[in-house]
């Protein structure tokens, strides 16, 4: 636990944003636990499969994500929360905007060195 874990978790968040913008659902999916779910800022909850499908079909399309702040809260050696704030340019079901998006990633260390995103809660900041 400590700095190396925190750096890995921050990289996980940055990879998540990069793959989201690239529309790379294969790479994005590998970062997410099989039981992953995303709670959107509207309160809608989506499974991993449904969210990735909406990215694949461009119902949810992310054009850019500009990181503004990121903090990691280590709960223990195998669990942590990351709060990331980014300006995200996206088209969600046809509505395009740049949102100040705060994502809270709940992550767990599944193997000795493999951090996975268990779920994400999205909100505006």
């Amino acid at each position: 636990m400590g700095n190396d874990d925190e750096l890995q978790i921050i990289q996980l968040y940055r990879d998540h944003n990069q793959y989201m913008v690239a529309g790379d659902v294969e790479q994005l999916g590998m970062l997410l636990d099989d039981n992953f779910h995303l709670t959107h800022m509207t309160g809608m909850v989506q499974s991993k499969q449904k969210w990735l499908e909406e990215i694949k079909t461009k119902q949810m399309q992310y054009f850019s994500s500009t990181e503004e702040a990121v903090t990691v809260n280590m709960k223990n050696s195998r669990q942590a929360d990351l709060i990331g704030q980014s300006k995200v340019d996206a088209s969600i079901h046809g509505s395009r905007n740049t949102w100040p998006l705060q994502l809270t990633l709940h992550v767990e260390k599944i193997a000795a060195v493999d951090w996975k995103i268990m779920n994400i809660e999205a909100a505006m900041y």
Side-chain angles (χ1 to χ4, degrees), residues 1-11 74 109 115:
M1 184 165 75
N3 198 33
D4 283 348
D5 284 324
E6 290 179 19
L7 292 174
Q8 288 176 20
I9 293 165
I10 290 169
Q11 189 60 52
M74 298 299 300
K109 192 179 268 190
W115 287 94

Side-chain angles (χ1 to χ4, degrees), residues 10 20 75-76 82:
I10 290 169
M20 197 173 70
K75 293 179 171 182
N76 55 50
L82 176 144

Side-chain angles (χ1 to χ4, degrees), residues 46 50-62 90-95:
Q46 280 188 312
K50 179 68 175 166
W51 184 48
L52 294 177
E53 181 64 24
E54 290 206 350
I55 294 171
K56 187 175 180 180
T57 61
K58 299 194 185 315
Q59 293 178 56
M60 294 190 175
Q61 189 171 9
Y62 302 91
S91 176
I92 307 298
H93 300 129
S95 286

Side-chain angles (χ1 to χ4, degrees), residues 8-17 20 28 31-32 36-39 51 69-75 79-86 101-108 115-123:
Q8 288 176 20
I9 293 165
I10 290 169
Q11 189 60 52
L12 181 66
Y13 169 70
R14 290 177 176 157
D15 290 346
H16 163 271
N17 287 341
M20 197 173 70
L28 182 57
L31 304 179
L32 311 175
F36 168 88
H37 66 274
L38 168 64
T39 304
W51 184 48
V70 62
T71 59
V72 176
N73 174 29
M74 298 299 300
K75 293 179 171 182
Q79 295 179 314
D81 293 333
L82 176 144
I83 298 174
Q85 296 179 332
S86 298
L101 190 63
Q102 176 171 295
L103 298 181
T104 302
L105 280 64
H106 303 282
V107 300
E108 288 188 17
W115 287 94
K116 289 279 188 185
I117 303 171
M118 306 309 287
N119 61 70
I120 297 175
E121 298 158 7

